[in-house]
Amino acid sequence: MTPRARTNQLLYQAELLLDTSPGSDEHAEARRMAAEEGALALTELALASLLREVTEHAGLALHDWRELLDPRGESVAELHRLRELAARPESWLAWLLSRIDALHASDGVARRTGPAAPGLIAVGSAAALGDELRACLSEAKREVAALRETSEEW
């Protein structure tokens, strides 16, 4: 499998997990949360795969996505573009990186969406992780196309 095909496969699998019905039994909420966190984990793998794919021409020794996106990292046009995107708090990549950090934390990132416990006041109408991740994946795929175009010029 080519690096490009692997990136595409991981993005597709993340979307498949998000589209999986959690069912309606007593495990539905846990199943939904597992699918969301699983899709986020696949998206992290897709990010790593994308970075490897678009930096192939540079022959880099390291391929850890955290090192590649570090501002002190290698000077490669595609990485510079992604670093700038990650620095913008409203960007899909900044959102993704913050959720990946939460995924690796002990609390995880998926949250229960059921009714609030008696005596608690529900505040806000935050979008579900799955909905936010779907939007992130859509924006990411547009960026992937642009990065591939730049990378292919090399």
Side-chain angles (χ1 to χ4, degrees):
M1 182 176 294
T2 66
R4 181 182 192 135
R6 180 63 175 155
T7 302
N8 290 344
Q9 179 187 49
L10 290 164
L11 291 169
Y12 175 67
Q13 289 173 340
E15 289 177 323
L16 283 178
L17 270 180
L18 290 175
D19 291 339
T20 302
S21 173
S24 58
D25 62 6
E26 68 272 11
H27 303 290
E29 188 78 356
R31 203 175 290 116
R32 179 197 53 80
M33 291 170 62
E36 288 174 348
E37 289 203 352
L40 184 57
L42 284 170
T43 305
E44 179 181 9
L45 291 174
L47 175 62
S49 180
L50 171 66
L51 291 172
R52 181 179 297 267
E53 172 189 342
V54 299
T55 59
E56 273 185 314
H57 66 278
L60 303 177
L62 302 173
H63 293 284
D64 179 76
W65 67 264
R66 291 182 192 274
E67 291 176 16
L68 291 175
L69 292 180
D70 187 292
R72 297 162 296 184
E74 297 286 339
S75 181
V76 177
E78 294 82 4
L79 295 179
H80 180 71
R81 179 178 176 156
L82 287 169
R83 288 177 191 134
E84 286 181 345
L85 191 60
R88 293 194 333 245
E90 76 286 353
S91 75
W92 66 267
L93 186 54
W95 179 90
L96 178 63
L97 295 177
S98 72
R99 294 320 179 279
I100 289 171
D101 284 342
L103 178 68
H104 289 273
S106 58
D107 286 342
V109 69
R111 299 287 174 252
R112 296 198 176 280
T113 59
L120 292 180
I121 299 172
V123 179
S125 59
L129 175 62
D131 294 336
E132 290 178 325
L133 185 51
R134 273 186 198 86
C136 175
L137 287 169
S138 178
E139 291 181 48
K141 288 195 291 187
R142 282 192 292 276
E143 190 70 31
V144 165
L147 284 168
R148 285 176 174 163
E149 185 175 314
T150 304
S151 178
E152 286 172 2
E153 291 174 5
W154 289 100

